[in-house]
Amino acid sequence: MSWSRQRVTAVKVDVGPSIMLHSGTWLDLLSPHTSAFTIEDIAHGLALQCRYAGQCLDFYSVAEHSLLVSDLVEEDPLAALLHDAAEAFLGDITRPLKQMLPDYRQIETEMQRAIAERFGISTQSSPAIKRADLRVLAAEQAQIMPAGTDEWAKRDRIAPALVKVRFLSPREAKSAFLRRYEALQ
């Protein structure tokens, strides 16, 4: 029996455009607050998202990146762990492309707000998390991208974090992400 005859779909539109999550829950992209997404859905999605549009030395997940940022932030490590959680559902869009898509940025902001509310973290941007994110970004680029990619960090006086990219497999990254989440509860 073909897919169309079974009427199976991974995207539906009832209230708004929705996607099926790993848990079997539907996520309404225009009303994420009404969806029953879980931390496992976030960990799964982030573990399978490669940073840098996949244009890095090897597979490097958003989940592993989130772990590195969380390890650097003392004041709110849970918020740091979840700082890119919207990417579990929306994908890791490169910064230059994001800047060209104002509607995407609004959707991402609303998704991140729903995640923050679901997990009891602040909806306000944290300077400490932003700084840690930039420091990890600088370290990543020095380790896994072509030479010169991290020139912006030198120019902006961003000291690369003392972290090592381990290139965790998706399974390892998901497991580590969930362990870190549980430890922070």
Side-chain angles (χ1 to χ4, degrees):
M1 190 176 259
S2 73
W3 283 94
S4 61
R5 290 180 64 200
Q6 290 180 15
R7 304 181 138 237
V8 174
T9 182
V11 178
K12 70 173 187 167
V13 178
D14 282 342
V15 175
S18 301
I19 59 170
M20 175 69 74
L21 302 180
H22 179 69
S23 64
T25 299
W26 285 101
L27 175 73
D28 184 335
L29 295 171
L30 296 180
S31 184
H33 296 51
T34 65
S35 301
F37 59 85
T38 66
I39 193 64
E40 289 83 7
D41 290 320
I42 292 170
H44 186 80
L46 294 181
L48 291 170
Q49 289 290 323
C50 188
R51 289 195 31 95
Y52 304 100
Q55 300 302 310
C56 47
L57 182 63
D58 203 345
F59 180 82
Y60 174 58
S61 73
V62 177
E64 184 174 348
H65 164 80
S66 298
L67 288 162
L68 295 176
V69 174
S70 180
D71 286 343
L72 288 182
V73 177
E74 292 179 20
E75 68 187 41
D76 198 351
L78 179 58
L81 183 67
L82 296 173
H83 80 281
D84 281 339
E87 294 178 13
F89 309 130
L90 304 177
D92 182 23
I93 307 297
T94 61
R95 186 169 292 159
L97 181 56
K98 259 185 212 182
Q99 292 169 343
M100 296 168 54
L101 302 171
D103 289 343
Y104 175 87
R105 294 176 77 183
Q106 183 179 354
I107 293 166
E108 181 183 46
T109 298
E110 193 59 29
M111 185 69 67
Q112 195 63 37
R113 183 176 291 120
I115 291 164
E117 290 171 4
R118 173 78 38 93
F119 296 101
I121 59 177
S122 175
T123 58
Q124 299 300 313
S125 178
S126 162
I129 293 172
K130 182 63 177 169
R131 178 128 181 95
D133 193 26
L134 288 172
R135 293 187 64 219
V136 169
L137 178 67
E140 291 167 354
Q141 290 181 345
Q143 293 175 46
I144 68 173
M145 297 297 288
T149 306
D150 62 341
E151 287 301 317
W152 65 271
K154 295 171 188 158
R155 182 187 65 242
D156 294 345
R157 299 177 192 199
I158 303 293
L162 300 175
V163 298
K164 174 141 178 53
V165 173
R166 297 182 298 160
F167 301 108
L168 298 174
S169 72
R171 189 178 309 265
E172 292 168 322
K174 178 180 179 179
S175 179
F177 186 96
L178 289 171
R179 281 194 311 273
R180 177 74 170 151
Y181 174 79
E182 289 301 323
L184 295 172
Q185 292 302 295

